[in-house]
Amino acid sequence: MSAHSANWQTVAPASELVPGQFLEFRLKEKAKEPAGMPLTGFAFLDGTTPRAYLNVCPHLGIELNWMPGRFMDSDNLFIQCSTHGALFKPGTGECIAGPCQGDALSTLDIRLHDGEVQVRVPD
Ligand code: FES
């Protein structure tokens, strides 16, 4: 087992990763900047593909959502930041409109393993 595989963190049972639901979690790993800040993230199914991102808007570095589990725009097409309305593609995290256009959400590695949803901060 490599050192990196130890970094996987279970965030929910796999049965909770269902279409239309967003799982929110706090990562064990702390932010580097500002040092020691808790990092939060969210996971969801993009079609049938599990995706996970840090819950950090590239614009101001704050969490995207005000309401628990609510990340999508009213058309249910894009992830939307609730502060200034930036829109992000669910599949890539790329910001396609708003003050951070051209920037992107930070991707987390995600896997389904032993009936659990597991995530980790990429190297
Ligand atoms: S903080 Fe997200 S768009 Fe401004």
Side-chain angles (χ1 to χ4, degrees):
M1 185 188 285
S2 77
H4 294 308
S5 60
N7 292 338
W8 288 100
Q9 175 183 339
T10 297
V11 295
S15 59
E16 290 186 12
L17 193 66
V18 294
Q21 296 286 325
F22 284 74
L23 303 174
E24 294 187 70
F25 48 84
R26 177 177 283 219
L27 290 159
K28 287 187 210 144
E29 196 156 325
K30 300 279 192 261
K32 295 191 178 69
E33 193 58 48
M37 279 286 287
L39 280 176
T40 58
F42 60 98
F44 60 99
L45 281 179
D46 173 27
T48 56
T49 306
R51 310 249 184 232
Y53 297 104
L54 285 183
N55 190 358
V56 177
C57 182
H59 181 214
L60 294 183
I62 58 178
E63 291 192 346
L64 295 157
N65 61 318
W66 289 335
M67 301 275 288
R70 294 286 300 274
F71 287 87
M72 297 299 281
D73 67 351
S74 54
D75 293 332
N76 211 32
L77 290 175
F78 297 102
I79 295 165
Q80 183 167 41
C81 178
S82 44
T83 302
H84 304 112
L87 296 174
F88 304 88
K89 287 186 181 173
T92 61
E94 179 194 352
C95 179
I96 50 118
C100 45
Q101 190 167 351
D103 216 331
L105 300 174
S106 298
T107 306
L108 296 170
D109 293 334
I110 182 168
R111 71 178 183 184
L112 300 178
H113 185 74
D114 284 347
E116 296 175 328
V117 182
Q118 298 185 331
V119 300
R120 68 175 180 183
V121 177
D123 297 332

